């Protein structure tokens, strides 16, 4: 069965609802004092993990489209990417406001001092560039350079996985699983590109 335009629209709405609900859930949990002994860490971790999960989901779309042969699903990459950026912004804001109380000097000192924060910052900058250039008019103006810029998402996801791995002190099992999953997805992507290049090579 082919997914119609209307169904793809419904899937997009599901993505928006599924990404918004955890934020409401987090707000209610913090409000009701159920965010553990250290609510600030709870919020930062929840939002960081959310951003990474959404980024991973956006990378999963292309292999899924190839397996299911449903091109319409490609439309899900944009909302997933924009939600990943939204979570990353909230993660950064929670850290700067609740943890560092907007002490900008301290924010700069911390970021420069800790390599895992430099990585986090670079991931955020890439997501910011991708979000801005996802506006249709800008996309059209950029032409071929748009795809080149958006390929940075693979690098950003790998960096986000390393940022997570580096941020934990002892429990490395979960971040290691995330890193393995990211590398696996990047390898699938590399294989898809190799096929494309071979195909174009044969045509030329
Ligand atoms: C904008 C710059 C960023 C800053 C300043 C930042 C800061 C932090 C901090 C302070 C922690 C907690 C470390 C601790 O436990 O002591 C953390 C954890 C984390 N961050 Fe970031 N981050 C940034 C960007 C990102 C981005 C863009 C992502 C994902 C796309 C991300 C994903 C995560 C994850 C998954 C964790 C671990 C959460 C957990 O332990 O459950 N961060 N980050």
């Amino acid at each position: 069965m082919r997914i119609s335009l209307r169904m793809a629209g419904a899937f997009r709405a599901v993505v928006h609802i599924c990404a918004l609900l955890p934020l409401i859930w987090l707000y209610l949990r913090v409000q009701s004092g159920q965010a553990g002994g250290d609510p600030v860490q709870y919020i930062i971790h929840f939002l960081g993990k959310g951003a990474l999960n959404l980024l991973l989901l956006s990378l999963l779309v292309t292999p899924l489209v190839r397996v299911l042969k449903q091109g319409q699903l490609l439309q899900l990459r944009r909302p997933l990417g924009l939600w990943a950026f939204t979570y990353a912004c909230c993660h950064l804001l929670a850290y700067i406001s609740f943890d560092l109380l907007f002490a900008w000097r301290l924010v700069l000192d911390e970021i420069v001092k800790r390599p895992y924060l430099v990585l986090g910052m670079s991931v955020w900058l890439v997501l910011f560039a991708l979000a801005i250039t996802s506006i249709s008019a800008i996309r059209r103006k950029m032409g071929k350079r748009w795809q080149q810029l958006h390929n940075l998402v693979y690098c950003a996801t790998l960096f986000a996985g390393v940022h997570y791995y580096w941020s934990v002190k002892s429990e490395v099992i979960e971040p290691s699983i995330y890193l393995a999953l990211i590398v696996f997805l990047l390898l699938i992507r590399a294989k898809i590109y190799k096929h494309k290049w071979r195909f174009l090579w044969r045509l030329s």
Side-chain angles (χ1 to χ4, degrees), residues 100-114:
L100 303 183
L101 306 172
F102 291 113
W104 296 107
R105 179 90 233 163
L106 190 59
V107 173
L108 273 183
D109 283 353
E110 284 288 310
I111 290 181
V112 172
K113 211 166 60 194
R114 299 179 202 276

Side-chain angles (χ1 to χ4, degrees), residues 41-42 44-53 55 84-85 87-89 91-93 95-96 99-100 107 110-111 114 116-125 127 156-157 159-161 163-169 174-175 178:
Q41 280 302 307
Y42 187 90
I44 293 174
H45 288 190
F46 185 92
L47 295 166
K49 204 77 100 27
L52 187 56
N53 287 336
L55 212 50
F85 175 60
Y87 269 71
C89 287
H91 174 67
L92 175 63
L93 192 66
Y95 175 59
I96 292 177
D99 209 5
L100 303 183
V107 173
E110 284 288 310
I111 290 181
R114 299 179 202 276
Y116 85 91
L117 292 184
V118 176
L119 268 189
M121 201 65 213
S122 47
V123 177
W124 184 84
L125 285 172
L127 294 184
T157 312
F159 279 13
H163 166 75
Y164 178 16
Y165 187 92
W166 235 341
S167 79
V168 296
K169 274 100 204 166
E174 205 180 323
Y178 268 94

Side-chain angles (χ1 to χ4, degrees), residues 49-65:
K49 204 77 100 27
L52 187 56
N53 287 336
L54 285 157
L55 212 50
L56 276 173
L57 279 177
S58 75
L59 280 197
L60 252 177
V61 172
T62 305
L64 214 65
V65 163

